[in-house]
C-alpha cells in the first residue's frame, strides 16, 4: 500500500477513534447526571406526531401515560390539518415531537418535560429501534445505538447536533417549533440551550427498516439533513463519517486483488471496529441492549458499505430539490 494512502487511512481511523472515545466518555457523564425534580404543577403539553402518523392512535397511547390527561393535546404536524382540527399549539405549551411510527412508554411525557422546565429550551430524548431479534433490524438497532452515544456525548459537550425527532421544546424555542408554514423542524434553533435526556423512561421506539434499500434511504436522509444544517461542525461530522467508511471500503476492495494492501487494510478495519464498539457499548448497556453487541463484526462491515452508498446518495439527492426531504428524520 502506498505511503500516502496508508497515512490517510490511519489518520482517518485515528481521528474517528478519538472522536468515538470522547463521545463515549461524555455520554457516560451525561448518563450519570441527576435529573431535576418534578415541577409543582405539570405544564400543558402539545404532542406533534410525525407527518403521516395517526393522531388518534397516538392520543389513545398517551391516555395511558403518567401525565394529567387534561393537559395533553395531540395535534397534526402540518398546518392544514392543525387548522382543520383547531388544535394549534398555544404559547404556554411545551411541545413534544416524535419520530415516525414511534411508541412511547408511560413515563415519556414527564421524563421529557422535567428537564425542559429547568435545564434548557430544547431537550433531546433517545430513540431506539425495534429489532425483534431479526438480522437486518438487529444491525440497524446496533448502528443506531452508536449514533445515540454520539448524540448524547456531543450534546453534553455543548457542541451542535444534527436534527432529532424525539424532543421537547419550551417557550424559548417556540419560533422554530410552532411554525404554521409546514411540519415541525428537524433540529433545534442554533440560539437555544440544549440538553440530552439519557433517562430510559424518555426513550421512544420506532420500527426498523423493511429492507436494505430502505435502510440506505434512511441513512441518506440523515446525511442530507446534516449537510443542510448551518453548523459546520455537524457538516464536518457527516462528511468525516462518510469519508472514513468510503476510504476503508475502497482499500478493502483493492486488498482483495493486491496482497500488499491486506495487512494495512485489516489493521485499519480492526481499529474502526474498536471505535464502533466504544460508541455502541455505553448506549447498549444503558438501555439494556448488550445482546446486540454479538453482531458487532457484521454490523461494522455492513455499516462500511451502507454508509459509503448512503453518503453518495445524499450528495446526489442534494442536487435534486425535495428528493430526500422527509419530516421526522431521527438520529
Amino acid at each position: 500500500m502506498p505511503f500516502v494512502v496508508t497515512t490517510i487511512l490511519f489518520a482517518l481511523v485515528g481521528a474517528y477513534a478519538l472522536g468515538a472515545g470522547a463521545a463515549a466518555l461524555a455520554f457516560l457523564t451525561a448518563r450519570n447526571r441527576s435529573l431535576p425534580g418534578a415541577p409543582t404543577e405539570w405544564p400543558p403539553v402539545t404532542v406533534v406526531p410525525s407527518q403521516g402518523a395517526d393522531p388518534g392512535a397516538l392520543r389513545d397511547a398517551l391516555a395511558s401515560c403518567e401525565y394529567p390527561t387534561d393537559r395533553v393535546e395531540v395535534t397534526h404536524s402540518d398546518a392544514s390539518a392543525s387548522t382543520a382540527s383547531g388544535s394549534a399549539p398555544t404559547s404556554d405549551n411545551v411541545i413534544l415531537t416524535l419520530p415516525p411510527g414511534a411508541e412511547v412508554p408511560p413515563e415519556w411525557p414527564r421524563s421529557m418535560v422535567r428537564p425542559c422546565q429547568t435545564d434548557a429550551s430544547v431537550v433531546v430524548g433517545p430513540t431506539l429501534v425495534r429489532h425483534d431479534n431479526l438480522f437486518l433490524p438487529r444491525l440497524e438497532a446496533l448502528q443506531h445505538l452508536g449514533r445515540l452515544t454520539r448524540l448524547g456525548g456531543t450534546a453534553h459537550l455543548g457542541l451542535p447536533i444534527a436534527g432529532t425527532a424525539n424532543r421537547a421544546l419550551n417557550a424559548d424555542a417556540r419560533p422554530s417549533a410552532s411554525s404554521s408554514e409546514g411540519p415541525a423542524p428537524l433540529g433545534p434553533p442554533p440560539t437555544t440551550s440544549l440538553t440530552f435526556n439519557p433517562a430510559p423512561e424518555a426513550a421512544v421506539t420506532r420500527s426498523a427498516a423493511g429492507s436494505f434499500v430502505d435502510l440506505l434511504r434512511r441513512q441518506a436522509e440523515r446525511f442530507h439533513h446534516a449537510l443542510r444544517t448551518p453548523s459546520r461542525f455537524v457538516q464536518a461530522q457527516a462528511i468525516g463519517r462518510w469519508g472514513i467508511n468510503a476510504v476503508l471500503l475502497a482499500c478493502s476492495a483493492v486488498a482483495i486483488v493486491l496482497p500488499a494492501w491486506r495487512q494495512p487494510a485489516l489493521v485499519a478495519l480492526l481499529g474502526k471496529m474498536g471505535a464502533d464498539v466504544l460508541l455502541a457499548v455505553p448506549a447498549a448497556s444503558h438501555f439494556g441492549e448488550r445482546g446486540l453487541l454479538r453482531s458487532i463484526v457484521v454490523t461494522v462491515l455492513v455499516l462500511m458499505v451502507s454508509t459509503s452508498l448512503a453518503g453518495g446518495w445524499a450528495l446526489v439527492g442534494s442536487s435534486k430539490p425535495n428528493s430526500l426531504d422527509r419530516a421526522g428524520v431521527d438520529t
Side-chain angles (χ1 to χ4, degrees):
M1 181 179 289
F3 177 76
V4 174
V5 177
T6 304
T7 302
I8 294 174
L9 180 60
F10 281 94
L12 287 173
V13 173
Y16 183 81
L18 288 175
L25 289 175
F27 179 89
L28 293 174
T29 304
R31 180 192 65 178
N32 295 328
R33 188 189 61 176
S34 59
L35 293 177
T40 54
E41 182 179 3
W42 293 103
V45 166
T46 298
V47 182
V48 182
S50 60
Q51 205 167 31
D54 180 9
L58 180 59
R59 192 177 293 110
D60 292 340
L62 290 171
S64 62
C65 286
E66 298 174 359
Y67 204 88
T69 55
D70 60 336
R71 290 181 170 267
V72 178
E73 178 184 19
V74 178
T75 184
H76 293 270
S77 58
D78 57 277
S80 60
S82 294
T83 301
S85 63
S87 56
T90 58
S91 60
D92 60 339
N93 284 20
V94 173
I95 294 182
L96 301 177
T97 62
L98 288 167
E103 294 180 359
V104 298
E107 304 88 352
W108 175 70
R110 290 191 177 190
S111 182
M112 292 296 289
V113 168
R114 284 165 59 186
C116 189
Q117 291 291 285
T118 57
D119 285 359
S121 300
V122 180
V123 177
V124 177
T127 301
L128 304 177
V129 177
R130 294 189 296 271
H131 54 82
D132 299 325
N133 214 27
L134 300 175
F135 178 72
L136 186 61
R138 280 178 61 91
L139 300 188
E140 184 183 3
L142 186 54
Q143 292 175 15
H144 198 76
L145 287 172
R147 289 193 295 270
L148 188 56
T149 298
R150 187 186 300 112
L151 167 69
T154 302
H156 183 72
L157 292 173
L159 299 172
I161 62 171
T164 59
N166 177 18
R167 66 190 192 276
L169 304 96
N170 68 14
D172 294 338
R174 190 53 42 84
S176 175
S178 61
S179 171
S180 60
E181 301 295 329
L186 294 173
T191 57
T192 58
S193 57
L194 180 148
T195 188
F196 174 70
N197 183 2
E201 297 80 10
V204 301
T205 57
R206 64 163 176 82
S207 60
S211 66
F212 185 72
V213 174
D214 191 20
L215 177 61
L216 284 181
R217 172 174 287 279
R218 289 185 177 185
Q219 291 180 327
E221 287 169 348
R222 294 188 191 99
F223 273 115
H224 178 67
H225 288 288
L227 293 175
R228 291 178 57 196
T229 61
S231 170
R232 297 297 184 186
F233 178 79
V234 173
Q235 295 175 2
Q237 270 197 323
I239 294 173
R241 290 196 301 273
W242 174 75
I244 185 174
N245 284 282
V247 171
L248 191 54
L249 178 62
C251 291
S252 300
V254 175
I256 297 175
V257 181
L258 301 179
W261 286 53
R262 292 175 185 171
Q263 184 173 357
L266 179 60
V267 172
L269 182 60
L270 292 175
K272 168 70 163 46
M273 189 177 300
D276 285 329
V277 171
L278 275 178
L279 282 174
V281 167
S285 300
H286 185 59
F287 295 107
E289 296 284 0
R290 289 186 64 91
L292 290 174
L293 296 175
R294 298 193 303 269
S295 304
I296 189 66
V297 174
V298 65
T299 299
V300 171
L301 296 177
V302 173
L303 181 63
M304 181 174 62
V305 176
S306 64
T307 302
S308 303
L309 296 176
W313 190 350
L315 292 175
V316 173
S318 297
S319 62
K320 301 177 181 179
N322 302 322
S323 62
L324 281 172
D325 288 330
R326 188 185 70 176
V329 173
D330 62 284
T331 301

